[in-house]
Amino acid sequence: MAYAADSFDTLPRMPTWVTSARPEAPEDVAFLSGAALNHLHLVLRRADVPQTLLRARLALRAAEACVTHQGRPELAAELRDAVAFLQPGDSPGPAGEIYLSWRRAVERPVSVKGLHRALPNLDPSQIAAWLDTGQGTPVARAAAVCHAMIEERPRDHTSSLLLANVALAQALGWSHVVPLLAIGLKRGEVRNAGDDLHLACHRAIVTAATEATREGADLARCAARLKEVAPKLRARGSDEAVALFLDRDAVAPAALTSLRSDRAARRFCDRLVELGAVRELTGRDTFRLYGL
């Protein structure tokens, strides 16, 4: 299937009146966050946007923000490394655990069982009880969950922000978690309460929804390029390998098990780079990672 170079001009862009406005009144901020969420909802329904990959990329961004909240120095590259080469029994470290939590949270449709997999230190009954905390509009529910959790677990920003995003997704009727609040909220704002927290959540959603929309457009272009060059790939198992790039933020050649050997997998990845379909993400000569 051919993809026109300009086919993504139809991907809805966040209106400039949403991104450029600097409102102060709470009702104006709430209106803009509602507009941003509505716009993002359209992007999340687009077939040309690789939705699994978009959530994975946003999960990495959310993890990076949560790690920063803890005062840790790890950025996206270090988080990728922390989990990409894990062997059974290995520990990814504290920052890697945060990244794993977000990755697991966005991989599957929202359920208490799935959230317990992402946050194994929380009892499933606790998770269900916290998610029942919020009432009212989607942002009000998310803010209530965030506040309830941070009151009980003041050092656990990751769980608070993750479950707040779950509450937001549930209220909006989304089947999967889309990390927004973790990306947009600053460290000090997580500890706010009442109207201050609501206002901070609305502002965070405008920021994060704009970023998610931009990321979705970029990934749609990259996915189309990968699909365009896929017929040129003659290696046995290439279809399965290409599918992996459309689901994961970063792929190690060793993960391409559908190909004949590690050497074949490395050559396959290098070929995709030559064709302009994927990028090498690490800048290293060994232990490389590739992604859209």
Side-chain angles (χ1 to χ4, degrees):
M1 177 178 179
Y3 290 80
D6 61 351
S7 63
F8 307 104
D9 290 343
T10 61
L11 192 72
R13 295 184 174 90
M14 190 70 72
T16 55
W17 58 264
V18 174
T19 57
S20 62
R22 296 292 182 269
E24 296 298 331
E27 60 270 22
D28 293 334
V29 178
F31 174 77
L32 289 179
S33 77
L37 283 172
N38 181 70
H39 190 84
L40 178 60
H41 184 77
L42 299 177
V43 174
L44 298 179
R45 294 171 62 89
R46 295 279 301 215
D48 52 350
V49 176
Q51 300 295 339
T52 302
L53 177 54
L54 175 60
R55 293 194 303 271
R57 190 63 55 83
L58 295 176
L60 176 63
R61 182 69 184 83
E64 187 179 41
C66 288
V67 168
T68 300
H69 287 188
Q70 289 191 354
R72 301 188 62 89
E74 292 91 345
L75 299 177
E78 289 84 3
L79 295 177
R80 283 184 176 125
D81 281 350
V83 303
F85 304 106
L86 281 177
Q87 299 297 319
D90 287 352
S91 170
E97 290 286 2
I98 290 174
Y99 181 28
L100 283 177
S101 290
W102 281 104
R103 281 208 338 183
R104 290 166 178 164
V106 305
E107 283 174 349
R108 301 178 181 181
V110 172
S111 69
V112 171
K113 181 179 179 181
L115 293 171
H116 179 57
R117 176 174 173 267
L119 299 169
N121 293 330
L122 300 184
D123 186 87
S125 62
Q126 286 181 307
I127 293 173
W130 273 315
L131 290 176
D132 286 339
T133 301
Q135 301 292 330
T137 65
V139 176
R141 289 174 61 178
V145 171
C146 183
H147 180 65
M149 283 211 64
I150 211 70
E151 283 280 288
E152 191 163 339
R153 301 170 65 93
R155 295 181 180 274
D156 193 355
H157 284 204
T158 298
S159 297
S160 300
L161 288 167
L162 198 155
L163 291 188
N165 275 281
V166 172
L168 182 68
Q170 289 179 321
L172 292 169
W174 293 347
S175 61
H176 290 75
V177 178
V178 180
L180 294 176
L181 294 173
I183 295 173
L185 279 175
K186 299 178 176 63
R187 179 180 180 181
E189 292 173 336
V190 178
R191 298 181 180 276
N192 287 348
D195 291 342
D196 288 340
L197 180 57
H198 287 187
L199 189 63
C201 286
H202 282 301
R203 293 189 189 280
I205 284 171
V206 174
T207 298
T210 301
E211 182 175 330
T213 298
R214 187 182 305 115
E215 187 71 41
D218 290 342
L219 290 177
R221 295 186 194 95
C222 293
R225 175 58 182 167
L226 180 59
K227 292 174 182 177
E228 183 180 20
V229 305
K232 301 177 183 179
L233 305 171
R234 304 298 183 184
R236 180 179 298 177
S238 61
D239 289 347
E240 294 87 342
V242 165
L244 206 60
F245 282 101
L246 294 173
D247 282 348
R248 295 189 184 181
D249 165 68
V251 177
L256 303 177
T257 56
S258 64
L259 302 177
R260 296 189 307 274
S261 64
D262 288 345
R263 182 182 179 186
R266 290 193 297 271
R267 292 177 62 184
F268 182 84
C269 291
D270 290 340
R271 176 62 173 155
L272 288 177
V273 173
E274 291 174 4
L275 292 169
V278 303
R279 296 177 294 126
E280 202 287 311
L281 302 173
T282 69
R284 297 188 295 248
D285 292 331
T286 59
F287 295 100
R288 289 182 160 189
L289 295 171
Y290 300 81
L292 266 63

